[in-house]
């Protein structure tokens, strides 16, 4: 949004906060592979895809969208609605399960170009996976203080550190978004859906997970 949307507040005319002349630009997107594939395949870029358990993703999305609706002085949407949307494939950025499978398939066929990992893996062993990510991106950690470097990256990128930056505690709404800064970092906990979803909702989502992810072990034995 900041690259192709409106400029940030108080920036010079025509200015966007990206260095378009750099060959190492980073772009974050939610666009599914089914739409972005031709562009990715025609470039030399490397893709890092993080998949999160759909039940936790659903709760995160519910809070995020409610922050947007409340900013427009609307009532928060019922949780039942977004559960139905997830199961029917009508959530923002397209059907969730197909979204995950699109990038997961490419990572198996082209592991040099696509780095696929689950959020739960990152949370369980960040040191190991940050090292893997650095290797994939072609900038491995080196030197006698390598372990210290890795630990600093993990600390700096932790949910605790990010949510405590002053900008991320602000209720201001940036010019390029419809939600306040403090809506971008909430809990980041694995299994938070257990605090919100009732048994019937979980059973409905789990049934679709079994069908869509049949034979694919993304979240181990404890994914339900």
């Amino acid at each position: 949004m900041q690259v192709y949307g409106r400029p940030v507040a108080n920036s010079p005319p025509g200015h966007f906060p990206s260095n378009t002349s750099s060959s190492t630009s980073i772009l974050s997107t939610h666009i599914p592979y089914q739409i972005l594939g031709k562009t990715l395949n025609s470039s030399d870029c490397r893709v890092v895809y993080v998949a999160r358990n759909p039940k936790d993703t659903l709760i995160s999305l519910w809070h995020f969208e409610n922050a947007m609706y409340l900013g427009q002085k609307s009532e928060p949407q019922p949780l039942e609605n977004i559960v139905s949307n997830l199961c029917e494939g009508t959530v923002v950025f397209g059907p969730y399960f197909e979204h995950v499978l699109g990038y997961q398939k490419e990572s198996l066929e082209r592991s040099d170009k696509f780095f696929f990992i689950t959020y739960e893996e990152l949370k369980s062993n960040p040191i190991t996976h940050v090292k893997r990510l650095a290797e994939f991106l072609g900038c491995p950690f080196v030197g006698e203080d390598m372990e210290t470097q890795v630990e600093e990256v993990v600390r700096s990128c932790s949910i605790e550190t990010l949510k405590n930056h002053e900008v991320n505690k602000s209720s201001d709404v940036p010019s390029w978004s419809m939600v306040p800064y403090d809506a971008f970092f909430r809990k980041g906990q694995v299994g938070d859906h257990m605090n919100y979803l009732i048994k019937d909702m979980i059973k409905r989502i789990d049934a679709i997970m079994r069908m869509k992810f049949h034979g694919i072990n993304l979240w181990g034995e404890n994914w339900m």
Side-chain angles (χ1 to χ4, degrees):
M1 287 184 285
Q2 285 178 290
V3 176
Y4 300 107
R6 299 185 300 273
V8 294
N10 303 318
S11 61
H15 170 77
F16 292 90
S18 63
N19 181 6
T20 54
S21 64
S22 172
S23 62
T24 55
S25 298
I26 298 174
L27 176 66
S28 176
T29 180
H30 292 295
I31 299 175
Y33 178 80
Q34 290 84 343
I35 293 176
L36 200 58
K38 287 185 178 180
T39 299
L40 296 177
N41 296 342
S42 64
S43 75
D44 294 326
C45 71
R46 300 180 189 182
V47 179
V48 177
Y49 186 89
V50 181
R52 191 178 185 185
N53 185 303
K55 289 169 288 192
D56 284 344
T57 301
L58 179 148
I59 295 301
S60 179
L61 178 62
W62 181 57
H63 281 286
F64 189 77
E65 290 191 350
N66 282 339
M68 179 170 60
Y69 295 148
L70 290 175
Q72 299 172 354
K73 298 183 179 180
S74 301
E75 291 293 321
Q77 63 175 323
L79 183 55
E80 294 82 358
N81 288 6
I82 199 165
V83 170
S84 293
N85 290 344
L86 177 81
C87 294
E88 295 165 7
T90 56
V91 290
V92 64
F93 303 115
Y96 173 85
F97 304 99
E98 285 73 14
H99 201 303
V100 172
L101 290 170
Y103 285 99
Q104 191 264 348
K105 178 177 179 292
E106 293 303 314
S107 72
L108 295 177
E109 297 179 354
R110 292 182 287 170
S111 59
D112 60 323
K113 187 178 177 71
F114 290 84
F115 184 96
F116 182 98
I117 191 168
T118 67
Y119 181 76
E120 292 73 17
E121 287 177 300
L122 282 171
K123 289 282 285 186
S124 67
N125 195 346
I127 295 290
T128 294
H129 295 301
V130 165
K131 289 179 180 177
R132 288 182 57 222
L133 178 58
E135 293 278 354
F136 169 78
L137 295 174
C139 50
F141 294 96
V142 296
E144 294 181 358
D145 64 338
M146 183 179 72
E147 294 301 325
T148 301
Q149 295 177 45
V150 178
E151 290 171 2
E152 178 58 23
V153 169
V154 171
R155 187 200 65 80
S156 298
C157 297
S158 69
I159 186 74
E160 293 79 16
T161 298
L162 293 173
K163 72 186 297 183
N164 281 309
H165 288 309
E166 287 303 316
V167 64
N168 292 330
K169 293 190 286 186
S170 170
S171 59
D172 294 340
V173 178
S175 62
W176 46 267
S177 179
M178 299 173 65
V179 294
Y181 287 106
D182 59 11
F184 287 94
F185 297 94
R186 196 177 64 87
K187 285 184 179 181
Q189 294 179 352
V190 174
D192 189 42
H193 69 273
M194 297 296 293
N195 297 316
Y196 298 91
L197 299 178
I198 63 174
K199 189 174 296 184
D200 286 346
M201 293 177 178
I202 293 175
K203 287 177 62 177
R204 183 180 180 188
I205 297 170
D206 284 349
I208 296 178
M209 288 180 70
R210 290 191 190 93
M211 177 178 66
K212 297 288 187 178
F213 295 146
H214 178 70
I216 302 174
N217 188 14
L218 294 179
W219 286 282
E221 296 179 355
N222 299 317
W223 62 270
M224 293 188 291

